[in-house]
Amino acid sequence: MKTQEIHRSTAEDKSSAPSPRYAFVNGQWWDGDGYRRHVMYSIDGVFKSNWSGNVDATVDLEGQYVIPPLAEAHNHWIEANRVDEMITAHLADGVFYVRDPSVSPRVLDQFIDKLNLPTSVDYNFAAQGFVAPGGHPSGAWDMLVDMGAVPHCCRKNYDPELLFYVTTVEDVDARFELLRNERTDYVKIFLQYSEEYYQRVGQPDMRDKYGVDPKLVPHIIKKSHEMGLPALAHVYTVTDYRAALYGGIDEMVHMPGLEYDPKLGKDHFLLTEEDARETYQRGVIVNPTIAFTTHMDRHDPGMAQFSRDEIVRPNLKLLKEHGVTLVVGSDYYGHTMLPEIFFMRETGVFTDKELLNMASTVTSQVIFPQRKIGALKDGYEASFLVLREDPAQNIDNIRTITLRLKQGRRLTVPESAINRPGDACFPPPEYSAA
């Protein structure tokens, strides 16, 4: 049986049915450094390099390239009526794992039953984020309410339905009591222009242009860790970054420079050697979200390119040189993470091999640390992509998928999703998500 024949032979598979038992021959299997030719088995949804029992089919991979599925560390799934399109586009692009670092339970309840299935995208999330009243992403929620993406009744009740508005330690403690009764995998903290927090907070013309009081950050992180939850920080400036870093954060889900303000100057956005060294020593993960700069492209392309060249690239280079763990996450609403990979390549900081490992292994293992995913070896979930061309030589080849297997099940994806025009999952609205 060849790769194209597996599509016909398993067309009636259901997610609730036992996964077929396969032997895959003549494949080149990625091990993080190179490819190895060997037989691999998918038995009850798990990889085995040796199997003496029966199989349902032997699949000839015809010398094609086999890699782990891709993962997206930062995207926001907000519109319930678009989730089917999001799922289909992500599977078409080979993205099986997604983390949403800030979503309202009220929104999530509308579509969570469609996720975390063998035939769908695996998704985890942070619930309402901590921010001062009127701070970011209040403006994004304003637009979402106006668009009808979330109920209009939320307009008067962002806290606690959509966000946790806090100004005191007592506020933080009260919101954590609410959080104990909700589903969440992380705690999200919004920091934005912390160096001007006290000048901006509560000013009507500064709505959405500040975050939480940086003095509350250590307490929020302490409470998060007491609940056994990693803490994620939205940061824009180096002041934000340091407030999170020295407050005990687990992961930065932005990087300074993505929202460049020339009035403050480059020094407010460029990381230092000490920042990078401390990030590595503390084991903090960084999600650069370079694709987020596309919102600047719409308004000031020159400024966006300046930010990528003069701030984002040096920051990435510095973090890489110090051995900081970097993951792939775009925060590019209505898209998969593919544009982020290509933006990262354009910086010239990473090789195609490094990008492949970040996108397929590192990111999936960061966002689902308790699972055996992101590697093609015994005992791991039998999930992989088969590609016609080698992505380690040219990351553009990530688009040449010929077969998708998830937990031992072949995934069927409509040709319309595979060949959709452009990178968007659907025509995106004109706004930036949180």
Side-chain angles (χ1 to χ4, degrees):
M1 178 181 289
K2 299 183 184 297
T3 52
Q4 64 267 29
E5 293 172 337
I6 192 174
H7 291 269
R8 295 193 295 270
S9 67
T10 61
E12 299 303 317
D13 285 353
K14 306 297 183 183
S15 62
S16 59
S19 59
R21 294 180 171 185
Y22 292 120
F24 294 97
V25 301
N26 296 324
Q28 300 192 64
W29 297 79
W30 181 251
D31 66 3
D33 185 53
Y35 294 97
R36 304 290 179 265
R37 281 184 175 266
H38 58 82
V39 177
M40 183 65 88
Y41 299 89
S42 171
I43 306 298
D44 301 328
V46 175
F47 281 126
K48 291 186 181 293
S49 56
N50 292 288
W51 178 252
S52 58
N54 295 328
V55 296
D56 297 299
T58 297
V59 182
D60 186 354
L61 298 181
E62 303 176 290
Q64 295 184 93
Y65 302 89
V66 189
I67 65 169
L70 308 179
E72 160 73 279
H74 191 146
N75 213 316
H76 298 281
W77 289 30
I78 298 165
E79 298 179 79
N81 63 338
R82 295 287 200 180
V83 165
D84 290 337
E85 294 168 276
M86 293 285 284
I87 292 170
T88 302
H90 278 71
L91 296 180
D93 288 357
V95 185
F96 291 4
Y97 313 112
V98 171
R99 179 177 64 193
D100 187 334
S102 181
V103 63
S104 163
R106 174 172 287 199
V107 174
L108 184 61
D109 284 345
Q110 299 176 60
F111 59 80
I112 189 63
D113 60 323
K114 297 182 177 183
L115 302 168
N116 299 312
L117 302 170
T119 52
S120 183
V121 170
D122 292 342
Y123 170 103
N124 68 9
F125 61 94
Q128 305 96 313
F130 287 82
V131 67
H136 182 79
S138 299
W141 282 118
D142 291 343
M143 288 185 280
L144 288 163
V145 171
D146 290 342
M147 290 168 50
V150 295
H152 279 270
C153 63
C154 292
R155 170 75 76 178
K156 298 178 181 179
N157 197 28
Y158 285 1
D159 172 42
E161 293 289 339
L162 303 179
L163 294 167
F164 287 147
Y165 284 161
V166 295
T167 58
T168 66
V169 167
E170 290 75 20
D171 290 342
V172 171
D173 292 346
R175 299 314 182 277
F176 266 98
E177 287 305 310
L178 297 176
L179 196 59
R180 291 181 192 280
N181 297 318
E182 295 180 356
R183 296 171 297 172
T184 190
D185 300 292
Y186 304 89
V187 168
K188 176 73 171 286
I189 303 169
F190 291 96
L191 287 158
Q192 191 158 312
Y193 298 110
S194 297
E195 55 268 66
E196 296 185 345
Y197 172 79
Y198 296 104
Q199 297 98 298
R200 294 180 178 224
V201 65
Q203 300 301 314
D205 62 338
M206 286 290 166
R207 183 174 175 80
D208 203 60
K209 296 179 181 178
Y210 53 88
V212 75
D213 186 341
K215 292 181 180 178
L216 294 176
V217 168
H219 186 67
I220 296 171
I221 295 172
K222 176 175 176 289
K223 298 289 290 186
S224 175
H225 291 168
E226 286 174 355
M227 287 181 61
L229 297 173
L232 312 176
H234 165 113
V235 298
Y236 271 8
T237 69
V238 293
T239 306
D240 300 333
Y241 189 99
R242 291 165 190 159
L245 181 65
Y246 292 100
I249 204 70
D250 298 288
E251 184 174 340
M252 309 287 186
V253 291
H254 281 306
M255 188 178 67
L258 304 176
E259 178 76 20
Y260 179 62
D261 184 345
K263 294 190 297 294
L264 292 176
K266 286 172 59 175
D267 288 348
H268 282 254
F269 300 92
L270 283 171
L271 296 172
T272 65
E273 293 276 348
E274 183 178 354
D275 294 328
R277 183 167 52 250
E278 194 72 25
T279 302
Y280 171 75
Q281 290 176 351
R282 290 172 175 258
V284 175
I285 298 161
V286 177
N287 174 196
T289 64
I290 304 172
F292 187 76
T293 60
T294 55
H295 79 283
M296 283 197 290
D297 279 310
R298 292 196 292 271
H299 308 297
D300 190 339
M303 186 63 70
Q305 196 59 51
F306 173 85
S307 178
R308 287 192 285 266
D309 292 343
E310 300 297 323
I311 300 170
V312 171
R313 185 180 185 279
N315 283 346
L316 275 178
K317 187 170 183 291
L318 193 62
L319 293 170
K320 179 188 174 185
E321 287 173 349
H322 281 79
V324 173
T325 298
L326 300 165
V327 295
V328 179
S330 66
D331 196 15
Y332 194 4
Y333 181 71
H335 293 70
T336 69
M337 43 71 81
L338 292 189
E340 180 73 5
I341 297 176
F342 302 135
F343 271 117
M344 293 181 83
R345 176 183 58 186
E346 287 175 12
T347 67
V349 174
F350 307 101
T351 66
D352 293 80
K353 180 190 288 189
E354 288 169 335
L355 291 171
L356 173 59
N357 283 330
M358 270 194 285
S360 63
T361 297
V362 178
T363 303
S364 63
Q365 293 178 353
V366 163
I367 63 178
F368 287 104
Q370 305 304 319
R371 291 172 58 182
K372 289 188 172 183
I373 58 175
L376 311 176
K377 56 187 181 182
D378 281 76
Y380 277 60
E381 294 179 22
S383 300
F384 60 82
L385 308 173
V386 178
L387 281 70
R388 189 172 56 254
E389 306 292 340
D390 179 7
Q393 291 297 317
N394 184 343
I395 201 64
D396 284 328
N397 292 332
I398 209 77
R399 298 183 183 275
T400 66
I401 302 172
T402 61
L403 178 65
R404 302 158 183 82
L405 205 82
K406 184 166 184 277
Q407 296 173 353
R409 294 171 172 83
R410 188 269 315 163
L411 300 179
T412 301
V413 180
E415 287 295 324
S416 58
I418 296 170
N419 299 318
R420 65 190 190 278
D423 292 317
C425 302
F426 53 82
E430 289 298 319
Y431 75 94
S432 295

